[in-house]
Amino acid sequence: MRAYILTVSGRALVFKAGQGAFEDIRKHGFSAEQIGTIVGASGGAKWLVLSQLDRVILERIVPAIPGPLHLLGSSIGAWRFSCYAQDDPVAAISRFEQVYVEQRYSEKPDEQEISESGRTTLDLILGDTGAEDIVNHPQFRTHIMAVKSRLITASDNRYLLGTGLIGAITANLLHRRMLGAFFSRALFTDPRDKPPFYDVTGFPIHRIELTQDNLRDAIIASGSIPMVMQGVRDIKGAPPGTYRDGGIIDYHLDMPTADNDRISLFLHFFDWLKPGWFDRQLPWRNVNPRNLDRTVLICPSPEFIAGLPDGKVPDRTDFVRMPEERRIHLWREVIKACEQLAEEFNDVLDHNQLPTRLQPL
């Protein structure tokens, strides 16, 4: 395994910005104090390419932001931010990284086994005080995006749920908003400060106060992939029903996430974005550029990704396409390789290179 993965350009990171953020930073420079929101998308095991960058954000960027600072996470983004808002966030990221890589399952795990494993993992990440830390954090305001299932998508019966998902996929093909017949947004939100995305439109939405009592269920629900994990039922403080993966509607958070005088920082796995989970294979379905106007996106370059062990970002298929020990070894190698991303990001910050490195998003 090479210590560094050289790219054609010699650069492992890509920095992109929406028009408003691009013009402001090019003209006035970049300051961490401009950041009002940090965004974390769905993506499961893909997050492993970001864990080293997460440490840089927590050690270099966050201390310079006066707050309040909104964290908006969907699925694995919500899991990452459950680490950010603990009293020792870097230690929490390290715990998450370790337990995530070392997940082990039976030969053919069912939804119950995977869901129970998720609960165990979250308990290890949060420990005894994590939930209390998050809801009372003096700087961070944590917001978790899930969906509330409607009609037969609320069932965990595989036949009924599968039929509902086929209907949802078909409806989404016709028009993204038709997905709202099958799922509504469920925004679990810190009540202390109203976030810029609080009034997001486009789909039915339930706004639910995030509390110490419902935080675990909200995080689990936000990552509960249909047909892979069980839905989370009747979350405390939320309307009765079944809650599932927030990425179904908000895969890459296609909504305005920053106030006009602030910017959103978006660590991401790739240099492209898709609105919803069912839009991944639809070349004509893309995020609304207006929603990205104040966004700064930081991601590994395509050349860097091509040079990773296995030539790609880790993903959920790794659990089934390779032996367990091989997967664990490979994921550790990826994390080690991604130290290069952190080193480059630190160098960019040290030498104030972000304005000149920016590309239009």
Side-chain angles (χ1 to χ4, degrees), residues 202-244:
F203 292 92
I205 185 169
H206 305 277
R207 298 176 183 88
I208 304 143
E209 180 177 339
L210 184 67
T211 68
Q212 189 173 337
D213 291 333
N214 65 20
L215 181 135
R216 279 180 166 82
D217 277 347
I219 295 171
I220 292 291
S222 183
S224 291
I225 304 169
M227 308 291 282
V228 175
M229 297 176 68
Q230 297 170 325
V232 180
R233 298 186 182 278
D234 301 337
I235 298 175
K236 189 169 184 178
T242 302
Y243 293 80
R244 302 191 188 275

Side-chain angles (χ1 to χ4, degrees), residues 173-186:
L173 277 171
L174 297 174
H175 197 287
R176 175 163 154 76
R177 286 199 175 188
M178 293 180 66
L179 191 59
F182 297 85
F183 300 97
S184 54
R185 281 178 167 133

Side-chain angles (χ1 to χ4, degrees), residues 161-199:
L161 178 56
T163 300
L165 291 175
I166 291 171
I169 291 168
T170 303
N172 183 71
L173 277 171
L174 297 174
H175 197 287
R176 175 163 154 76
R177 286 199 175 188
M178 293 180 66
L179 191 59
F182 297 85
F183 300 97
S184 54
R185 281 178 167 133
L187 175 61
F188 292 85
T189 181
D190 188 316
R192 290 176 293 174
D193 289 279
K194 188 176 179 180
F197 43 84
Y198 187 85
D199 295 318

Side-chain angles (χ1 to χ4, degrees), residues 4-314:
Y4 293 93
I5 299 174
L6 299 178
T7 68
V8 173
S9 65
R11 292 174 171 177
L13 284 173
V14 172
F15 297 86
K16 294 189 174 185
Q19 183 176 354
F22 181 86
E23 293 174 354
D24 281 358
I25 293 171
R26 279 295 186 92
K27 185 176 181 180
H28 303 293
F30 170 77
S31 168
E33 295 179 0
Q34 299 168 272
I35 299 170
T37 306
I38 302 180
V39 181
S42 303
K46 298 180 185 71
W47 91 275
L48 294 173
V49 300
L50 303 181
S51 65
Q52 300 292 340
L53 292 172
D54 279 330
R55 291 171 168 87
V56 179
I57 295 295
L58 291 166
E59 293 172 342
R60 297 286 305 274
I61 300 292
V62 166
I65 304 173
L69 177 59
H70 296 288
L71 303 175
L72 173 62
S74 171
S75 194
I76 203 69
W79 286 72
R80 287 171 54 217
F81 293 155
S82 74
C83 300
Y84 271 47
Q86 293 189 48
D87 281 352
D88 190 342
V90 174
I93 285 286
S94 296
R95 289 197 303 275
F96 185 24
E97 190 178 74
Q98 179 177 348
V99 297
Y100 195 91
V101 168
E102 294 178 0
Q103 292 177 85
R104 296 175 186 270
Y105 296 97
S106 63
E107 187 174 347
K108 293 184 178 180
D110 59 12
E111 292 94 329
Q112 181 177 349
E113 180 181 346
I114 297 172
S115 296
E116 289 175 352
S117 176
R119 293 273 181 183
T120 300
T121 296
L122 185 59
D123 285 343
L124 290 170
I125 295 167
L126 294 178
D128 294 332
T129 62
E132 182 180 1
D133 292 347
I134 292 165
V135 299
N136 294 310
H137 199 282
Q139 182 184 23
F140 290 126
R141 304 293 183 262
T142 299
H143 312 276
I144 298 169
M145 190 65 79
V147 298
K148 184 176 183 292
S149 297
R150 310 178 77 179
L151 307 174
I152 58 175
T153 65
S155 174
D156 277 324
N157 176 284
R158 291 186 67 84
Y159 173 77
L160 292 176
L161 178 56
T163 300
L165 291 175
I166 291 171
I169 291 168
T170 303
N172 183 71
L173 277 171
L174 297 174
H175 197 287
R176 175 163 154 76
R177 286 199 175 188
M178 293 180 66
L179 191 59
F182 297 85
F183 300 97
S184 54
R185 281 178 167 133
L187 175 61
F188 292 85
T189 181
D190 188 316
R192 290 176 293 174
D193 289 279
K194 188 176 179 180
F197 43 84
Y198 187 85
D199 295 318
V200 61
T201 60
F203 292 92
I205 185 169
H206 305 277
R207 298 176 183 88
I208 304 143
E209 180 177 339
L210 184 67
T211 68
Q212 189 173 337
D213 291 333
N214 65 20
L215 181 135
R216 279 180 166 82
D217 277 347
I219 295 171
I220 292 291
S222 183
S224 291
I225 304 169
M227 308 291 282
V228 175
M229 297 176 68
Q230 297 170 325
V232 180
R233 298 186 182 278
D234 301 337
I235 298 175
K236 189 169 184 178
T242 302
Y243 293 80
R244 302 191 188 275
D245 197 309
I248 293 173
I249 291 178
D250 292 302
Y251 192 53
H252 294 158
L253 288 307
D254 185 13
M255 62 185 74
T257 57
D259 292 317
N260 292 334
D261 58 343
R262 307 294 290 275
I263 62 173
S264 289
L265 186 64
F266 195 161
L267 291 188
H268 195 43
F269 330 110
F270 307 116
D271 61 355
W272 50 266
L273 299 166
K274 288 290 181 179
W277 192 33
F278 301 132
D279 300 321
R280 293 169 295 169
Q281 306 303 322
L282 305 181
W284 65 87
R285 187 72 57 77
N286 295 299
V287 170
N288 186 338
R290 290 193 298 270
N291 291 337
L292 300 172
D293 184 65
R294 305 293 304 171
T295 295
V296 173
L297 184 85
I298 304 174
C299 63
S301 68
E303 295 95 339
F304 179 84
I305 292 172
L308 285 172
D310 207 32
K312 70 174 189 66
V313 171

Side-chain angles (χ1 to χ4, degrees), residues 309-329:
D310 207 32
K312 70 174 189 66
V313 171
D315 61 47
R316 186 164 48 90
T317 66
D318 294 349
F319 283 107
V320 295
R321 71 181 187 86
M322 64 180 71
E324 201 164 65
E325 295 302 327
R326 168 63 179 158
R327 173 188 59 78
I328 291 172
H329 174 76

